Amino acid sequence: MLRPKIPIMPTPTGLTTPPAIVEPTTLTPSAPPPLATAAPAAPSRPTVQLTPGTALVLVGGATAVVLVVGAVLVSMLLAVAITGASLAICALVIRSFVHADTKRR
């Protein structure tokens, strides 16, 4: 019952084609390809110049990203803390109800 059954591949039915015969080919030497001419030198990439205005924009953008990510992380932490505190309070209330019920009997 617990032994796996391995499927058996049935033999093919119908028409089958015989394997193709591959004949060896001979290599004939040919003239060597012409040498490629030197490619023109690629134009040098322009260097990035950091002006005071661009630096200010970069710093402002990075500050905004850090503030947004920090606000999201703090709000998630607060949500977890509030949920944990409310669950703890609910557990204490339920425990006191159950404990008071058993004391009265």
Side-chain angles (χ1 to χ4, degrees):
M1 181 172 114
L2 297 177
R3 295 175 117 179
K5 299 204 178 194
I6 301 172
I8 300 171
M9 183 69 177
T11 57
T13 58
L15 298 174
T16 59
T17 58
I21 298 173
V22 178
E23 295 181 13
T25 58
T26 58
L27 295 175
T28 55
S30 62
L35 295 175
T37 58
S44 63
R45 296 187 337 189
T47 57
V48 178
Q49 295 180 353
L50 202 58
T51 62
T54 356
L56 193 61
V57 168
L58 284 174
V59 169
T63 304
V65 167
V66 167
L67 289 176
V68 168
V69 169
V72 168
L73 291 177
V74 167
S75 64
M76 287 172 58
L77 179 66
L78 282 173
V80 169
I82 292 171
T83 303
S86 64
L87 283 175
I89 292 171
C90 289
L92 287 175
V93 169
I94 291 172
R95 183 176 149 205
S96 69
F97 282 154
V98 169
H99 188 65
D101 244 3
T102 56
K103 255 188 172 178
R104 274 190 241 150
R105 290 185 184 182

